[in-house]
Amino acid sequence: MTRCIGVLTSGGDAPGMNAAIRAVTRSALARGFEVYGIYDGYKGLVGGDFVKLDRSSVSDIMFRGGTFLGTARMPGFREEAVQDIAIKQMSRVGMDSLVVIGGDGTYRGAYDLCKKGINCIGLPGTIDNDCPGTEYTIGFHTALNTIVECVDKLRDTSASHHRCSVVEVMGNHCGDLALYSGLCTGAEIVITPEKGYDEAWVMSELVHLDQVKKGRHALVIVSEKLVDVHALADKISNLTSFAGRATILGHIQRGGSPVPEDRLLATRIGDKAVELLAEGKSGMCVGLVKDEIIATDIFEALENPIQVKPDLYGVLERIA
Ligand code: F6P
């Protein structure tokens, strides 16, 4: 039975994580549960680095980027001996349940703890939009907004100089940030891991834009880890009349005040996580599918990650 809930953020930080911590804390307190914030993800859980949270501990954090609890990646948490230390630390303060906010690595940690009898609920928190059991993750819309703002600025200068901007965005192995930002900024080319990188095709499209359509400038959005954007910009300069310029947006995409979509998502799913624990449920992850808050078995979600996403590639092909 749930009496005392710990909340942690793990993996890369994402705007909206603070709103989720706030929702979990307030929803838990409203149900008469105790709440502890755990610093630095699973690392803090193992180290017993906890702070008791009350209503005012989570005031004025909703609009802040990052996570006030801190976060970390801890591959060592896969070891059972390490998990056992974490469980001992939890029992020291009477913590019987956990809400973990992060990506699929975070969910795996929660799943392992569930097998050892700890009540755990996972919430999707990453800018990458690559969590199972949800259409959108906390942080995705804010990162998308940041990318769109930056690319709009690049377009101003690129258009003035007959250039081709090659912009690398984050996403790890998920192309959603590239695809959605490409659609929102009118990119001619979007390169994602889902569709792969075909250099010959990219070049022929740009040559066509340059020589046949007489485009004044061009924009290529590339998902990270697929191609060296500086080398690609050089090739574009050599094969077209556009001067290629590469920009890597980097960690700026992870910062900033969360947009309303992320605050709302974080608040709705944070409250749902506590509701599930109060009902005696565990081993689930919460997400948003067709504007409904749903809970999925965490193991099922990790093993068969069914992602219900709109087919935006068709739109891109027709509109780009
Ligand atoms: O998972 C979020 C993310 O920002 C990815 O998009 C990116 O590949 C990675 O984290 C960067 O990790 P780090 O902050 O450790 O450099």
Side-chain angles (χ1 to χ4, degrees):
M1 204 173 91
T2 291
R3 278 195 201 89
C4 176
I5 299 177
V7 56
L8 63 80
T9 47
S10 168
D13 65 296
M17 280 181 162
N18 282 324
I21 298 165
R22 175 181 179 271
V24 169
T25 304
R26 297 256 170 115
S27 183
L29 293 172
R31 290 178 160 94
F33 302 143
E34 275 189 305
V35 190
Y36 281 90
I38 297 154
Y39 288 116
D40 300 333
Y42 289 112
K43 200 168 140 228
L45 191 66
V46 175
D49 200 2
F50 311 150
V51 59
K52 192 137 190 222
L53 299 178
D54 59 24
R55 224 188 121 73
S56 63
S57 324
V58 291
S59 297
D60 295 330
I61 62 166
M62 158 100 87
F63 56 89
R64 289 187 208 281
T67 156
F68 89 100
L69 288 175
T71 182
R73 294 192 169 93
M74 194 192 182
F77 197 73
R78 290 197 198 105
E79 287 169 34
E80 267 207 76
V82 178
Q83 296 161 12
D84 291 340
I85 298 172
I87 291 172
K88 274 201 187 116
Q89 295 284 19
M90 290 177 69
S91 65
R92 194 173 50 80
V93 295
M95 195 191 296
D96 47 58
S97 307
L98 271 183
V99 176
V100 301
I101 307 163
D104 56 358
T106 309
Y107 284 9
R108 281 192 198 280
Y111 176 63
D112 288 340
L113 290 175
C114 281
K115 284 192 290 187
K116 289 177 173 285
I118 304 291
N119 307 318
C120 293
I121 302 291
L123 299 183
T126 164
I127 64 164
D128 299 336
N129 211 33
D130 61 350
C131 283
T134 192
E135 270 175 52
Y136 295 112
T137 54
I138 298 167
F140 172 70
H141 279 101
T142 306
L144 176 60
N145 197 52
T146 302
I147 296 169
V148 170
E149 274 180 12
C150 292
V151 173
D152 284 350
K153 289 183 175 133
L154 284 170
R155 176 179 279 279
D156 289 344
T157 167
S158 171
S160 307
H161 284 271
H162 192 71
R163 283 181 176 161
C164 174
S165 265
V166 181
V167 186
E168 180 184 297
V169 300
M170 280 186 171
N172 200 12
H173 300 296
C174 175
D176 283 10
L177 281 173
L179 175 61
Y180 282 66
S181 64
L183 282 166
C184 293
T185 56
E188 276 73 27
I189 311 259
V190 176
I191 301 168
T192 64
E194 288 81 2
K195 292 288 167 185
Y197 175 56
D198 177 348
E199 190 172 293
W201 177 80
V202 170
M203 287 306 163
S204 77
E205 287 291 303
L206 288 173
V207 166
H208 186 75
L209 176 71
D210 179 29
Q211 292 172 9
V212 181
K213 292 186 183 164
K214 304 285 178 207
R216 288 182 50 76
H217 63 99
L219 173 61
V220 180
I221 307 257
V222 188
S223 195
E224 64 177 347
K225 301 178 185 178
L226 290 176
V227 55
D228 176 337
V229 285
H230 291 286
L232 177 57
D234 286 346
K235 276 191 192 121
I236 293 168
S237 298
N238 291 337
L239 290 179
T240 70
S241 69
F242 299 124
R245 291 286 188 279
T247 305
I248 298 174
L249 292 183
H251 286 84
I252 200 163
Q253 297 162 91
R254 288 236 295 261
S257 181
V259 296
E261 286 96 329
D262 284 327
R263 297 182 196 198
L264 194 59
L265 175 65
T267 301
R268 291 177 75 190
I269 62 180
D271 178 52
K272 180 72 178 178
V274 179
E275 182 188 302
L276 291 167
L277 288 171
E279 287 168 353
K281 295 185 180 139
S282 171
M284 315 210 83
C285 53
V286 186
L288 182 79
V289 175
K290 298 192 193 322
D291 207 37
E292 293 274 326
I293 302 298
I294 58 145
T296 315
D297 182 278
I298 220 164
F299 179 72
E300 286 291 311
L302 286 168
E303 291 305 302
N304 309 300
I306 301 167
Q307 300 207 329
V308 197
K309 292 190 180 174
D311 176 19
L312 296 178
Y313 283 100
V315 181
L316 184 69
E317 265 168 39
R318 289 184 291 276
I319 308 293

